[in-house]
Amino acid sequence: MNHAPAAQLQAHLNQARITGVTITPVAFKDPPLLNTVGVHEPFALRAIVEVHTDAGVSGFGETYGDAGHIARLKLAADSLPGTDIFNINSMRVAIIHALHQDTIEGGHGMSGMVTGSSTGDRVLSAFDVAALDIQGKLLGRPVSDLLGGAVREAIQFSGYLFYKWAAHPGQAGDAWGEALDPTGIVRQARTMVDRYGFGALKLKAGVFPPEEEIAAIQALRGEFPDLPLRIDPNAAWTVETSIRVGKELDGVLEYLEDPTPGIDGMAAVRREVGMPLATNMCVVSFADVAPAVAAGAVDVILSDHHFWGGLRRSQFLAGITETFGLGLSMHSNSHLGISLAAMVHLAAATPTLDYACDTHWPWKDPAEDVIKHGALKFRDGAVEVPTGPGLGIEVDRDALERLHRQYLDCGIRSRDDTGYMQRINSSYQLQSPRW
Ligand code: GKR
Ligand code: MG
């Protein structure tokens, strides 16, 4: 038997230590999508994290692009050289140590809608994904294999509907057009379903009085009698309003997502409403799980590897939800292809993730990404799990440079939906709950 290839692989793996990290902030065009804290700015920010090793192989992760988050990523990156790329536990310890005396302000990347997540997990996530990308490339196996193996070949996503303006003030309109009433939302949903084949729909609510949003859901139900529907007002409603809406839409929705703020509020709604309650706001870190379970606050947790500490720790969350008989879905924010690939590998290797995952993908200009075209395609509302080594995608370095230039030129340094809205409408006030 010839042991030479095995010996070569061993030598290669022995060398896989981190030599450095490159963090590249990027900006990509974003339409004026409305939510309960304001409106999306003309550009969304992300940070692309490339981890280099002495094996000559590098890997990528994608995360929030807010200035505070980038400052923390840099602190973390400085602590990693010398770490074995197969030892994500050591990376985590180094990162948490590096952040120990962190006095950096802000950097949550979610415009105030998710603020209680663990800073260490939020920072670790992009490094975890990059490490798994490298491990997969070294071993010639997809990331889903490193997570225990894919249990599905394609991942179902939901069509994420937003109320929106026709255009950012002073700019030309986008192809989606305006959606400010049930007719506009149904038109948007029809385009999304025809274009991507989504088999579930989610409405971002908390923008208009609840009656108008109930009407939009009823209009969607009329147009798409068989599709599961969800509504997510990001805690814009009081407990009383949530109960009223929950009763009215019982039997119409698959789940009701974050109607009201906090674990106690959600628990009060859940006692009165028959359908499942879901969250990506009151359970956003491991510290929130026990109080939420004790209070009986939710039925479904929307995981998100960007703030749950990466892919392995998101699987750890999946184990917890399974243990407590909770459902598992997946949350998203505006993102590019590296994140989509990571979401797909995670969902593929998480057997209990039964709901269609959220994605902001349709809202991105298809011409803008940091990955080469072709690896990730939607068919019948799903993305096939890449089978190539690592994340199974290739970063387009010219595109990365272009989107970095766009970041430098756009002037936005932190996501601020509320500030942008207030610049357009000076009487706009942040309020939660609003109705
Ligand atoms: O993109 O405006 C948005 C969403 O509202 C996002 O920021 C939320 O974090 O999609 C998210 C959610 O489900 O809450
Ligand atoms: Mg949500």
Side-chain angles (χ1 to χ4, degrees):
M1 195 175 148
N2 181 3
H3 291 282
Q8 266 168 19
L9 176 64
Q10 192 55 51
H12 203 41
L13 297 180
N14 282 347
Q15 267 187 22
R17 290 188 179 274
I18 296 175
T19 50
V21 175
T22 309
I23 297 163
T24 311
V26 295
F28 60 99
K29 291 186 215 66
D30 203 12
L33 306 179
L34 296 159
N35 56 37
T36 201
V37 300
V39 56
H40 285 209
E41 293 167 88
F43 293 93
L45 307 182
R46 298 298 269 177
I48 307 303
V49 171
E50 181 175 10
V51 173
H52 307 272
T53 63
D54 56 7
V57 174
S58 69
F60 290 91
E62 177 188 330
T63 179
Y64 312 105
D66 281 24
H69 187 60
I70 290 176
R72 290 193 192 95
L73 291 173
K74 286 183 177 151
L75 276 182
D78 289 346
S79 75
L80 294 178
T83 310
D84 181 349
I85 201 64
F86 283 85
N87 197 336
I88 295 175
N89 290 331
S90 290
M91 290 172 61
R92 179 159 182 267
V93 170
I95 287 172
I96 287 171
H97 190 256
L99 296 175
H100 194 55
Q101 291 192 326
D102 159 24
T103 51
I104 299 160
E105 301 264 317
H108 294 282
M110 281 169 277
S111 210
M113 275 174 286
V114 173
T115 52
S117 59
S118 145
T119 304
D121 279 333
R122 220 166 48 240
V123 173
L124 170 65
S125 174
F127 297 101
D128 164 276
V129 173
L132 288 164
D133 187 27
I134 295 169
Q135 293 175 24
K137 287 172 178 166
L138 287 170
L139 295 167
R141 305 295 296 245
V143 164
S144 59
D145 278 0
L146 304 175
L147 299 176
V151 296
R152 30 183 96 86
E153 288 174 358
I155 306 308
Q156 293 288 334
F157 285 87
S158 61
Y160 201 161
L161 310 173
F162 278 80
Y163 290 106
K164 71 179 285 294
W165 295 330
H168 284 286
Q171 291 188 15
D174 58 52
W176 290 96
E178 181 178 273
L180 297 172
D181 57 19
T183 309
I185 288 294
V186 168
R187 193 185 322 116
Q188 185 187 96
R190 176 49 64 201
T191 307
M192 228 181 242
V193 169
D194 289 350
R195 200 172 288 171
Y196 294 91
F198 291 120
L201 293 170
K202 159 167 166 168
L203 176 63
K204 174 66 22 174
V207 175
F208 294 111
E211 288 63 34
E212 294 182 37
E213 300 186 340
I214 292 172
I217 288 291
Q218 299 290 16
L220 288 168
R221 175 47 73 233
E223 179 76 10
F224 303 96
D226 302 325
L227 294 197
L229 302 176
R230 312 161 183 175
I231 190 168
D232 175 13
N234 285 112
W237 302 334
T238 62
V239 167
E240 292 69 30
T241 303
S242 305
I243 293 171
R244 183 164 53 77
V245 177
K247 288 192 169 171
E248 207 160 325
L249 291 180
D250 200 8
V252 180
L253 296 178
E254 174 178 45
Y255 56 65
L256 173 58
E257 187 173 323
D258 286 311
T260 204
I263 286 174
D264 292 343
M266 289 287 280
V269 176
R270 189 163 172 266
R271 284 193 287 274
E272 301 294 328
V273 168
M275 81 182 100
L277 291 199
T279 189
N280 62 261
M281 293 183 76
C282 74
V283 184
V284 290
S285 72
F286 290 97
D288 299 324
V289 178
V293 169
V298 294
D299 302 278
V300 180
I301 295 178
L302 283 89
S303 69
D304 181 332
H305 75 268
H306 301 92
F307 60 82
W308 281 95
L311 305 186
R312 285 258 172 74
R313 283 176 68 74
S314 296
Q315 285 193 305
F316 180 42
L317 171 66
I320 295 174
T321 54
E322 186 176 355
T323 304
F324 288 103
L326 299 171
L328 187 67
S329 189
M330 194 185 278
H331 165 263
S332 92
N333 271 120
S334 307
H335 63 88
L336 295 167
I338 298 172
S339 280
L340 183 64
M343 290 155 77
V344 164
H345 283 282
L346 173 61
T350 307
T352 56
L353 208 158
D354 298 323
Y355 291 102
C357 301
D358 287 354
T359 179
H360 283 60
W361 189 260
W363 296 111
K364 192 171 74 64
D365 179 339
E368 289 196 325
D369 210 320
V370 295
I371 63 166
K372 292 195 176 157
H373 283 295
L376 303 168
K377 273 195 223 93
F378 278 86
R379 192 174 313 127
D380 299 331
V383 177
E384 257 172 51
V385 183
T387 51
L391 290 172
I393 45 150
E394 219 183 313
V395 166
D396 177 338
R397 294 199 182 265
D398 293 338
L400 180 61
E401 178 54 31
R402 265 198 307 280
L403 294 196
H404 176 55
R405 214 97 311 278
Q406 193 154 266
Y407 168 84
L408 295 176
D409 294 344
C410 79
I412 299 171
R413 290 297 174 263
S414 289
R415 180 177 167 186
D416 182 11
D417 298 21
T418 308
Y420 181 47
M421 180 61 109
Q422 286 171 336
R423 288 199 293 283
I424 296 162
N425 169 7
S426 58
S427 65
Y428 182 83
Q429 294 287 336
L430 194 58
Q431 204 184 326
S432 174
R434 194 182 284 282
W435 288 284

